[in-house]
Amino acid sequence: MKKIYELVLGVVRKPFFIFFVMSLHAIIIFTPVAIAENIKRTGISMRVPAQAFDPIDPLRGHYLMFQASVRAVKPPEICKGECSEGYPFSAWLVPDEEGNAKISWSEPQEEGIQAFGQPDWRMTGLDEIPSAWMYVIPFNRYYVSEKNIEDLEKKLREAPSDKAFVTLKVKGKRAIVTSFDILE
Amino acid sequence: MVSNFMDERSFEIHLRALEEKGLLLPAEIERIRRRAQGEEPRAWLYFILLGVGITLVGGGLILLIASQWDSFSFITRIVVACIPWLIASVISVWVWKQKNEDWAWSEFTSLAWILTIGVALILITQTYQLQGDAGWLLWWWALAGWIAVVALPSATGALINSFISVHAVLQLISGIRPESGLLVTLPLVLLGFIFLIARFSSLAPWRQGVVVFAMSIASIFIGVSSTQGDPQSSAHLPYWILLIGMTSIMTIIVGTYGSRFIYTLRTLFSILSGILLLGTTQLFQSQTGTWFPQTMQWTWQTIPNLIIQLVIVLSPSIVYLFNLKTWDTWKIMVSLLPVLSWIGWGVGGILGAIVLNVSVIGLAGVGILHGYCTRTLSTLNAGVILFIGLCLLRFFDYEWSFLARGIAFITAGVCFLTLNVYTRRFFNGKLV
């Protein structure tokens, strides 16, 4: 154990080590930049309906909090093992011909992002079996300048459920948010 | 107060060793002993005023940059995001080459390095509107942080990295969002905060264990009650218990050893805990709607939450009143400041905000002055922690614009720096 410690200590004290550490840090910091730039330039656009979401997050900053999801009313025919009330816990959202998100119950070969199911209680009572599930994407915030955030939050809360959309760029199984639109 | 870095026994052992080796004369030994017993508190006052002043000015500058953030291009944002990391890296190289044996330089530079990597990652995430749950970000941050800790050993850095790593693991295994993960650190907050109670460290280890155990149980109640309304919250309970167990062990280890290194870590641990405490109480407010008794929705789950809040609010008053040698109106009024701040919080609105902020500033000021006058480092630390906590809350206060907050922070910082200069002049020549 002592030998291993001394060996590590010997490497740590070599002059190149600190520059090696800086290089690793640079790689860690700039990898997300490279990934995001690649998705932004070569990804496919996909629109997902969004609703206002009450954030339990006092440190949310100037972010518009939302919940973007696609609703599944009918139970899927394919339900591999892990299901609840006939619905699988997760699904994939893929872009259709017009760039709108649609559900795929199997992992797509091309572009698509994973969404997680939760019961839609709007149409049913809390003690009943839900009649629909929402497949929610793991994006819930959009940075907005401090001048516009209040106005946009208000608009989102007042907008009908089919008038607000978050637009993503999808490349493979990764995505970034590119815009948030509320139709008048 | 003996020293900032070691307890009385270790101090005496070191002093005697120097005396036996003949490195110090008896007169010098006596002088060192006198100074260690609290005859040089002014240096601490300068340090506090200078530190708070620089922190406020730095925070103000960050807020001013944030106010112009929307006018920056993509490239400028990335460059600005990386500047703090680059500065920290350059300082780290210098420290690694020149000051590697100096624990204070190594400790704080490593910490700054870790935090600036986090800042860069967070700002890049924001600039590109990357994935909101940011689980991967925590992993990358923890990895970069551990590499920094290996290069520049730092106990505080390791502690911060442990938090980040634990959050990343929780995020992976149970899907807890990062901000909910902040709630999970609550036990650490409460456990760390008890070290501010001066008598805790003098308790027998088994009594310390009982206090820590009681706080852990209270933390579980808070955890359960503050996640009410979330149907999936009960699934997080095992992780809470696991984490509370881990933090309890860590806290006992940190709290019961008495070396110079651990003493410093304990102080930093308490400061961090104080900051998190205020942040978490703010989080409670949004979790439960309100925490003011008149408007709170009463359920069995909110009762332990309220009891703990009352304990947090009233404990400074009780400790203060308990320690009073003489009773007078002014001192009793000071002891009521925590309750006043609680009422201000509950009332809300501009009047409530003024009451809250003024009473917390008053309480922090009393803590600093009382600690300074009585040479009690723990009271002085408590005052500083309270003030830093308040600054942190106002830093993230989105009711005010970045510009207004930036100007307010810089103004307050300049006031503290000016006070530092005047205090030095006032005591000039009187310092031992």
Side-chain angles (χ1 to χ4, degrees):
Chain A
M1 197 68 189
K2 198 182 171 189
K3 278 185 179 174
I4 296 169
Y5 177 73
E6 279 169 0
L7 191 74
V8 172
L9 213 63
V11 173
V12 167
R13 284 181 183 161
K14 290 267 190 278
F16 72 87
F17 184 74
I18 194 81
F19 295 103
F20 173 69
V21 169
M22 276 182 72
S23 311
L24 281 179
H25 283 173
I27 290 168
I28 288 172
I29 289 172
F30 290 109
T31 301
V33 176
I35 292 171
E37 275 295 331
N38 183 34
I39 297 171
K40 198 173 142 191
R41 286 163 202 268
T42 59
I44 296 172
S45 286
M46 179 170 80
R47 293 202 310 169
V48 187
Q51 299 88 40
F53 174 66
D54 190 19
I56 304 175
D57 181 6
L59 302 176
R60 71 184 186 279
H62 296 295
Y63 290 95
L64 182 70
M65 300 294 285
F66 61 85
Q67 180 173 288
S69 59
V70 174
R71 201 156 171 258
V73 182
K74 283 184 185 175
E77 290 174 5
I78 305 163
C79 190
K80 292 176 186 170
E82 292 189 350
C83 291
S84 176
E85 289 126 16
Y87 289 86
F89 288 119
S90 69
W92 291 81
L93 297 191
V94 294
D96 65 10
E97 295 77 20
E98 293 174 352
N100 294 316
K102 64 174 184 181
I103 292 181
S104 164
W105 299 109
S106 57
E107 188 175 340
Q109 296 296 316
E110 295 175 339
E111 273 66 33
I113 56 166
Q114 199 166 19
F116 297 91
Q118 61 182 54
D120 184 1
W121 299 109
R122 282 177 299 177
M123 306 302 285
T124 49
L126 284 173
D127 53 346
E128 294 172 30
I129 294 171
S131 59
W133 275 49
M134 309 287 285
Y135 284 88
V136 184
I137 59 169
F139 292 81
N140 57 8
R141 61 183 71 188
Y142 181 72
Y143 175 76
V144 184
S145 79
E146 64 175 343
K147 296 184 188 78
N148 304 330
I149 181 72
E150 215 168 303
D151 187 39
L152 203 60
E153 258 184 357
K154 195 180 167 201
K155 272 187 183 171
L156 180 62
R157 286 185 191 285
E158 289 168 358
S161 59
D162 58 341
K163 296 289 181 192
F165 296 93
V166 58
T167 306
L168 310 169
K169 281 268 188 174
V170 189
K171 170 85 176 169
K173 305 292 178 283
R174 292 176 182 273
I176 60 169
V177 177
T178 51
S179 65
F180 194 94
D181 305 298
I182 300 170
L183 306 177
E184 294 294 334
Chain B
M1 182 174 71
V2 171
S3 160
N4 307 326
F5 305 123
M6 64 175 79
D7 59 29
E8 197 167 351
R9 195 165 151 267
S10 323
F11 176 75
E12 273 300 323
I13 290 168
H14 282 87
L15 208 58
R16 276 179 203 164
L18 288 170
E19 192 177 13
E20 281 164 14
K21 284 176 187 170
L23 294 169
L24 291 172
L25 297 169
E28 286 173 326
I29 298 266
E30 193 52 39
R31 188 164 155 257
I32 291 170
R33 201 170 275 137
R34 255 201 342 266
R35 286 179 65 166
Q37 280 165 356
E39 292 179 13
E40 197 211 4
R42 283 169 211 148
W44 259 104
L45 190 67
Y46 301 155
F47 176 75
I48 288 165
L49 292 172
L50 188 69
V52 170
I54 290 171
T55 309
L56 286 172
V57 170
L61 287 173
I62 291 171
L63 287 166
L64 286 184
I65 292 170
S67 71
Q68 299 305 312
W69 190 252
D70 299 316
S71 60
F72 293 167
S73 68
F74 250 59
I75 299 294
T76 316
R77 286 183 195 189
I78 301 296
V79 171
V80 171
C82 293
I83 285 174
W85 165 68
L86 280 171
I87 294 170
S89 297
V90 171
I91 296 171
S92 297
V93 172
W94 179 73
V95 170
W96 188 85
K97 283 184 78 177
Q98 306 287 335
K99 298 268 185 186
N100 204 6
E101 298 301 317
D102 190 327
W103 72 272
W105 274 102
S106 174
E107 192 78 24
F108 287 104
T109 311
S110 184
L111 183 65
W113 215 5
I114 294 165
L115 294 179
T116 51
I117 291 165
V119 167
L121 283 172
I122 290 166
L123 287 176
I124 287 167
T125 311
Q126 185 208 64
T127 303
Y128 281 102
Q129 308 276 7
L130 287 164
Q131 193 164 354
D133 63 358
W136 62 269
L137 183 141
L138 291 172
W139 279 108
W140 284 113
W141 188 4
L143 177 66
W146 286 119
I147 295 168
V149 168
V150 170
L152 276 180
S154 159
T156 328
L159 193 69
I160 297 286
N161 257 330
S162 305
F163 288 158
I164 300 165
S165 307
V166 165
H167 280 210
V169 172
L170 285 170
Q171 223 266 331
L172 182 78
I173 58 179
S174 68
I176 293 179
R177 287 154 53 82
E179 57 267 25
S180 308
L182 186 68
L183 259 178
V184 179
T185 53
L186 178 72
L188 211 56
V189 172
L190 293 174
L191 294 171
F193 207 66
I194 55 177
F195 291 115
L196 287 176
I197 302 167
R199 286 176 190 168
F200 180 80
S201 45
S202 61
L203 290 177
W206 73 269
R207 284 180 192 271
Q208 289 184 351
V210 169
V211 173
V212 170
F213 180 74
M215 297 295 261
S216 305
I217 297 293
S219 302
I220 293 171
F221 273 109
I222 291 179
V224 175
S225 60
S226 60
T227 52
Q228 59 171 310
D230 177 4
Q232 293 178 341
S233 63
S234 58
H236 300 155
L237 193 59
Y239 306 114
W240 277 81
I241 294 168
L242 179 74
L243 201 75
I244 286 161
M246 281 161 55
T247 49
S248 302
I249 292 164
M250 198 162 76
T251 311
I252 291 168
I253 292 167
V254 170
T256 49
Y257 276 82
S259 74
R260 161 192 136 159
F261 186 64
I262 296 296
Y263 188 93
T264 311
L265 183 61
R266 205 170 69 185
T267 309
L268 290 166
F269 192 75
S270 301
I271 292 168
L272 179 73
S273 302
I275 293 166
L276 280 170
L277 179 72
L278 281 177
T280 316
T281 47
Q282 180 131 337
L283 206 62
F284 280 148
Q285 197 185 15
S286 56
Q287 289 274 329
T288 55
T290 176
W291 68 336
F292 200 55
Q294 289 169 2
T295 47
M296 182 180 271
Q297 290 178 346
W298 287 93
T299 66
W300 69 271
Q301 290 167 311
T302 54
I303 292 170
N305 196 348
L306 185 68
I307 290 170
I308 297 295
Q309 286 164 16
L310 276 171
V311 169
I312 291 168
V313 168
L314 289 175
S315 55
S317 306
I318 294 165
V319 171
Y320 185 75
L321 285 172
F322 185 71
N323 285 317
L324 274 183
K325 298 282 189 297
T326 54
W327 291 74
D328 62 48
T329 319
W330 186 81
K331 285 180 179 174
I332 292 168
M333 277 173 69
V334 166
S335 74
L336 293 175
L337 279 172
V339 184
L340 196 65
S341 69
W342 191 56
I343 293 169
W345 199 324
V347 168
I350 292 175
L351 182 66
I354 292 169
V355 171
L356 169 71
N357 286 289
V358 168
S359 53
V360 173
I361 288 171
L363 195 63
V366 168
I368 292 168
L369 283 175
H370 185 72
Y372 170 70
C373 294
T374 59
R375 316 283 191 264
T376 319
L377 201 59
S378 57
T379 316
L380 194 141
N381 278 344
V384 175
I385 290 161
L386 201 60
F387 185 77
I388 292 171
L390 184 71
C391 290
L392 201 74
L393 286 182
R394 295 289 75 83
F395 187 86
F396 290 107
D397 191 338
Y398 291 99
E399 297 295 317
W400 297 82
S401 72
F402 281 126
L403 192 64
R405 275 180 284 157
I407 292 167
F409 265 69
I410 289 174
T411 311
V414 169
C415 288
F416 271 93
L417 292 176
T418 314
L419 200 61
N420 173 48
V421 172
Y422 274 97
T423 317
R424 277 177 188 272
R425 280 187 190 168
F426 182 75
F427 286 120
N428 194 23
K430 297 179 186 177
L431 199 64
V432 179

